[in-house]
Amino acid sequence: MLPSNFFNQDCRDCPRLAGFLDDVKRKYPDYHALPVAPFGDPEARLLIVGLAPGMHGANASGRPFTGDYAGLLLYQALYDHGFSNQAESAALNDGLVLADCRITNAVKCLPPQNKPTGDEIKRCNHYLAAEIQALPERSVILALGNIAHQAVLRAYGLKTNAAKFGHHSLFQLPDGNTLVSSYHCSRYNVQTKRLSPTMLAEVFSTVRSLLIGRD
Ligand code: URA
């Protein structure tokens, strides 16, 4: 079960991010504009780690990768690989349920220009560490992008160079969990074809086989 310290919607530990969210809330009163909680199955054996909420996506909707271009490929892949009941994530009340999967972000608050500072990534890391500690044995952590990859290593107390980031790379974590890393499914990566739907599907096939081997 998830411990109570895995998320705090009232967190204002990063002054730059808290101030930015206050400004965004004034400009867009209907937006969530607060730290975005992890979404999905509290008992999941697959934890997906993104970077941070996007301005008009997760930051607006309050659910990771929801309303973001980056969510299109991700939620389709989750559906295709049996981790959800719907191929799209539209809003908090859309009936989407994730099965054996939860999605979180390395940084829970929207950063200006989508770029958290190193200090903000570090300061937010204890939430990710608490979430990881609560995973069932032999879970899989899927890091989307290098920042998420490094945030996972940091959450384990490992040096960020303990495992080099690469698309579709695998790393055995000290507690028996496996870190699988992928290029982030951002609009930039998809539109420049750095990450194709097929490439993401291959990563999810690997994730699925790792989990099947652990049933
Ligand atoms: N939306 C998220 O919640 N996380 C990302 O990394 C990108 C978009």
Side-chain angles (χ1 to χ4, degrees):
M1 226 17 212
L2 284 167
S4 57
N5 62 347
F6 83 103
F7 181 68
N8 174 11
Q9 187 147 290
D10 300 322
C11 181
R12 294 183 66 87
D13 288 353
C14 301
R16 185 183 79 119
L17 300 186
F20 186 53
L21 285 182
D22 292 342
D23 293 345
V24 169
K25 187 72 181 174
R26 274 190 288 276
K27 190 162 177 204
Y28 301 102
D30 295 339
Y31 279 18
H32 174 75
L34 286 170
V36 174
F39 167 63
D41 182 351
E43 312 278 344
R45 294 175 307 156
L46 170 59
L47 180 67
I48 299 179
V49 185
L51 168 56
M55 170 69 98
H56 304 293
N59 172 66
S61 65
R63 183 194 281 168
F65 290 93
T66 300
D68 293 308
Y69 183 93
L72 297 178
L73 221 59
L74 178 61
Y75 281 104
Q76 181 68 55
L78 286 171
Y79 180 69
D80 292 344
H81 292 82
F83 290 105
S84 72
N85 65 339
Q86 291 174 192
E88 281 174 34
S89 178
L92 293 187
N93 60 357
D94 62 2
L96 175 65
V97 179
L98 301 188
D100 206 10
C101 172
R102 193 167 64 251
I103 308 179
T104 194
N105 277 309
V107 174
K108 308 294 187 259
C109 294
L110 166 75
Q113 272 97 47
N114 280 332
K115 283 196 178 68
T117 64
D119 190 49
E120 289 159 354
I121 296 168
K122 282 185 202 155
R123 215 172 287 174
C124 201
N125 196 252
H126 67 97
Y127 293 117
L128 181 63
E131 208 175 347
I132 287 174
Q133 268 163 31
L135 286 170
E137 274 180 20
R138 290 158 44 93
S139 288
V140 175
I141 302 174
L142 171 58
L144 298 176
N146 191 23
I147 291 182
H149 172 90
Q150 292 190 5
V152 172
L153 297 175
R154 179 178 294 282
Y156 274 88
L158 295 167
K159 295 228 165 74
T160 49
N161 63 2
K164 200 170 152 19
F165 171 78
H167 178 70
H168 210 158
S169 63
L170 269 65
F171 178 68
Q172 207 52 50
L173 291 158
D175 59 357
N177 293 343
T178 304
L179 172 60
V180 179
S181 298
S182 165
Y183 290 141
H184 191 284
C185 44
S186 64
R187 181 194 292 268
Y188 180 81
N189 283 348
V190 174
Q191 290 185 344
T192 58
K193 302 204 164 45
R194 174 185 275 257
L195 180 71
S196 66
T198 308
M199 287 165 75
L200 190 62
E202 285 163 358
V203 170
F204 270 95
S205 297
T206 297
V207 167
R208 186 44 96 192
S209 14
L210 286 167
L211 290 174
I212 287 172
R214 294 166 186 197
D215 276 339

